[in-house]
Amino acid sequence: MNMPLIKSENIRVSPIATARVLPIGRPKPPPLTDRLSVIGSSIAARIIPPAVVLAVGLVIWELLCRKSGATLPPPSVVLRDSWELIVDPFFDRGGIDKGLFWHLSASLQRVAVGYALASMTGIALGTLVGQSVWAMRGLDPIFQILRTVPPLAWLPLSLAAFRDGQPSAIFVIFITAIWPIIINTAVGIRNIPQDYRNVGAVLRLNHLEFFWKIMIPAAAPYIFTGLRIGIGLSWLAIVAAEMLIGGVGIGFFIWDAWNSSHISEIILALIYVGLIGFLLDRIVAAIAGFVTRGTAAN
Amino acid sequence: MTAYLKIDHLDKSFGEGAQATDVLRDISLGIEKGEYVSIIGHSGCGKSTLLNVVAGLTPATRGGVILDNREVNDPGPDRAVVFQNHSLLPWLTVYENVRLAVDKVFAGVKSRAERHAWTMHNLDLVQMGHAKDKRPAEISGGMKQRVGIARALAMEPKVLLLDEPFGALDALTRAHLQDSVMVLHQKLANTVLMITHDVDEAVLLSDRIVMMTNGPAARIGEVLDIPLPRPRKRLELAANQTYLKCRQRVLEFLYERHRYIEAA
């Protein structure tokens, strides 16, 4: 502690030291071709490995299912059988004889309604449980039990209540997606640092201002984790629910194809289901990334 | 004539009944308008609790706090706090963090343009106007603390509460920020109550130093006036006899009479 004091005395006695400012050049941006090749190689690094795996998988599948007596069609047959469905997803011959686009969009609409309801209710209930000790004591044990009920087990009950397939399917989506949203929101609200609460208190924010300006942004990373799990579960549940309720929808399309022994159509539908589930997850993740920018890195 | 900020026979204990722990016992202190008072003590002596009671964030068990002839019961912008770990909201930019406070405190008093100007004025006071569009994660610790100070100043508080504001900073940044706070205090004549555990900082910045005994049931052990003229210069004070004497007094209090006893 004393050393710096003695040193500073010395400096004041000695003649003024001169210092030369070294010029620092602005770093040159790398040439365009270099940057392009960097971008190109990073894209290649992402695309090539899954492409290779996919190709190898298809070849093995082809070899295994080509033999006579194979129960499943090889990829070449799948492609030939379902070519009509692939090239024209928009046909509509009435009833349930529609292109895949219509089936998928019907499923997506059910998911959209059920998931939107689940998000709003889930965030509201999660906030309540996270904020109030008594609400948590009262509701949390019930939530913990209800969330373990498999989605499809709700379907007969909701059919009994609504007496119609459409609202029942939406209810199944709702009840499937809501638990992770409630639980993650509650954890997020409970984990708001005391400092932020203090800031709100010193500024005398009212309840509404505190909710919008501090609670929601602070809990946003948790809420979005819940929303992401929720969208994945909704998409899982819709296919199963639609198999049972019938009508237009990708779930019933698959069930219908099985009943007509169109195995190739099932495989095509599964690929679409997978791709859309992936897209839904990415969309929610992208929204999360945009909304919570800055929050995660404190 | 009572003091501007008066802490009156304040007791604070946590828990109830037989399990209650006394943290503060019979704290009485008066602070005049424009005065800079530091509270120093070993960690765990309850100095942060005292600040929280003054801020209204923690209720007092007995006794109370009177600011400008009004009793303090809940937190409010007339007692702006600069928190130890800056407590900026990470999802808002530097400007928005200060603007949030300005909008809340001056809603209906200042027009939109005036609130913008006042926000910028306070950011410029702490030399952070240039970083107004950055987020807290993008600026250094010292800069965050400057913004925290700007936010507190922007509330035009009756008393500014600093909770170890420089504790988390490196020595050079700390010295720089201390100088800034001195300049601001000189310019704005705020009433300041600062918590610190740094003896040099306390002597350099304060008009009076309140020394706390060790907890539990910490009391005010001694109050020391610092009769150094302002503006104070860090380098000139290094050899100043008054400065060294004051420093000595505080050191003796902390390390001889009320030595810190390591808990377990």
Side-chain angles (χ1 to χ4, degrees):
Chain A
M1 197 60 222
N2 285 329
M3 279 303 284
L5 287 178
I6 295 163
K7 269 197 178 159
S8 68
E9 290 292 315
N10 286 348
I11 287 166
R12 264 200 281 170
V13 176
S14 68
I16 298 156
T18 53
R20 201 158 54 85
V21 177
L22 293 173
I24 299 170
R26 190 182 272 270
K28 251 191 225 162
L32 188 66
T33 48
D34 279 15
R35 273 185 287 166
L36 280 180
S37 75
V38 167
I39 294 167
S41 65
S42 80
I43 290 172
R46 283 201 200 173
I47 300 272
I48 292 174
V52 169
V53 172
L54 193 65
V56 171
L58 284 172
V59 168
I60 295 172
W61 178 11
E62 181 76 37
L63 292 176
L64 284 175
C65 294
R66 229 180 176 163
K67 293 178 292 189
S68 58
T71 50
L72 294 176
S76 56
V77 176
V78 171
L79 198 65
R80 183 152 31 85
D81 287 354
S82 56
W83 186 249
E84 195 200 343
L85 284 170
I86 296 172
V87 290
D88 185 13
F90 298 108
F91 72 85
D92 185 353
R93 297 191 202 106
I96 56 160
D97 192 7
K98 294 179 200 281
L100 276 170
F101 172 81
W102 302 110
H103 288 287
L104 287 167
S105 94
S107 300
L108 280 172
Q109 277 169 30
R110 292 189 184 109
V111 167
V113 176
Y115 179 70
L117 289 173
S119 306
M120 287 184 287
T121 320
I123 291 173
L125 277 175
T127 308
L128 181 69
V129 171
Q131 188 66 344
S132 146
V133 177
W134 283 106
M136 189 189 77
R137 287 181 192 161
L139 292 171
D140 196 55
I142 295 165
F143 288 166
Q144 296 297 341
I145 291 168
L146 287 182
R147 79 186 174 91
T148 63
V149 175
L152 276 190
W154 291 101
L155 189 62
L157 192 66
S158 58
L159 278 170
F162 296 113
R163 303 193 175 275
D164 186 16
Q166 184 73 354
S168 304
I170 290 171
F171 176 76
V172 169
I173 299 306
F174 170 83
I175 207 78
T176 308
I178 198 169
W179 309 117
I181 300 176
I182 292 178
I183 290 165
N184 280 283
T185 305
V187 170
I189 299 283
R190 231 172 286 149
N191 282 347
I192 294 175
Q194 188 59 42
D195 297 328
Y196 300 166
R197 293 181 185 276
N198 287 349
V199 171
V202 169
L203 288 178
R204 289 209 180 120
L205 297 180
N206 60 38
H207 288 295
L208 202 65
E209 287 170 322
F210 185 71
F211 178 76
W212 283 115
K213 298 205 162 137
I214 295 194
M215 244 189 211
I216 289 294
Y222 290 90
I223 294 174
F224 273 100
T225 305
L227 288 176
R228 237 180 120 175
I229 300 171
I231 193 77
L233 290 180
S234 318
W235 194 238
L236 287 182
I238 189 67
V239 174
E242 282 175 348
M243 282 185 177
L244 295 175
I245 62 160
V248 180
I250 194 69
F252 189 68
F253 175 86
I254 294 172
W255 194 245
D256 193 41
W258 158 243
N259 284 331
S260 338
S261 302
H262 293 154
I263 308 298
S264 298
E265 289 180 10
I266 299 179
I267 291 170
L268 179 70
L270 291 191
I271 293 168
Y272 274 118
V273 169
L275 286 176
I276 289 187
F278 175 76
L279 270 181
L280 288 177
D281 182 64
R282 282 301 130 134
I283 290 168
V284 177
I287 296 171
F290 175 73
V291 173
T292 63
R293 66 200 186 286
T295 311
N298 190 1
Chain B
M1 178 68 196
T2 50
Y4 189 58
L5 173 69
K6 191 170 177 212
I7 303 171
D8 195 13
H9 297 286
L10 182 103
D11 287 351
K12 176 69 196 171
S13 49
F14 287 106
E16 273 173 29
Q19 263 144 38
T21 337
D22 287 349
V23 179
L24 299 170
R25 184 169 296 164
D26 200 24
I27 307 279
S28 287
L29 180 67
I31 298 174
E32 297 305 326
K33 198 167 185 172
E35 204 179 9
Y36 197 122
V37 175
S38 292
I39 297 177
I40 197 165
H42 292 292
S43 54
C45 76
K47 51 194 195 298
S48 280
T49 307
L50 178 58
L51 187 106
N52 281 340
V53 173
V54 176
L57 294 167
T58 311
T61 308
R62 269 178 301 278
V65 179
I66 293 162
L67 173 62
D68 199 10
N69 295 320
R70 268 214 214 126
E71 190 175 359
V72 163
N73 287 317
D74 51 350
D78 56 341
R79 281 151 290 126
V81 188
V82 175
F83 298 95
Q84 181 177 10
N85 50 355
H86 67 77
S87 290
L88 298 178
L89 304 176
W91 52 87
L92 298 180
T93 62
V94 161
Y95 173 84
E96 288 164 343
N97 263 291
V98 180
R99 181 69 188 261
L100 177 69
V102 173
D103 279 350
K104 188 62 196 162
V105 176
F106 298 104
V109 182
K110 285 185 190 319
S111 73
R112 233 184 139 69
E114 281 171 334
R115 280 177 295 179
H116 168 77
W118 180 242
T119 305
M120 286 315 294
H121 170 74
N122 280 283
L123 280 174
D124 288 336
L125 269 184
V126 296
Q127 292 133 44
M128 284 301 294
H130 63 92
K132 71 184 180 71
D133 294 322
K134 292 224 163 71
R135 282 175 200 284
E138 297 165 341
I139 58 179
S140 70
M143 290 162 104
K144 282 180 207 164
Q145 207 52 276
R146 281 175 187 275
V147 179
I149 292 170
R151 177 172 65 182
L153 289 175
M155 298 180 208
E156 278 196 327
K158 288 178 177 167
V159 54
L160 190 59
L161 305 173
L162 308 179
D163 186 4
E164 296 190 30
F166 316 116
L169 304 175
D170 65 89
L172 288 174
T173 313
R174 191 186 307 164
H176 199 58
L177 211 50
Q178 285 163 354
D179 291 345
S180 296
V181 167
M182 268 197 289
V183 171
L184 286 173
H185 179 240
Q186 194 73 22
K187 203 187 225 166
L188 305 173
N190 296 98
T191 312
V192 184
L193 180 63
M194 179 176 80
I195 303 292
T196 182
H197 52 227
D198 183 329
V199 177
D200 291 287
E201 177 175 296
V203 178
L204 178 68
L205 295 176
S206 318
D207 297 315
R208 267 192 300 158
I209 299 179
V210 175
M211 291 171 251
M212 307 256 308
T213 64
N214 281 324
R219 294 170 292 104
I220 292 180
E222 193 180 327
V223 179
L224 179 69
D225 281 307
I226 311 291
L228 291 166
R230 289 179 189 270
R232 298 173 184 168
K233 290 270 183 327
R234 181 182 300 275
L235 281 176
E236 287 163 17
L237 287 179
N240 182 308
Q241 281 309 313
T242 322
Y243 176 85
L244 291 176
K245 248 183 224 149
C246 291
R247 195 167 171 273
Q248 188 66 25
R249 277 289 286 278
V250 181
L251 285 173
E252 273 169 14
F253 179 90
L254 289 177
Y255 298 104
E256 272 181 28
R257 282 187 284 149
H258 293 277
R259 200 137 35 108
Y260 183 52
I261 300 136
E262 197 81 46

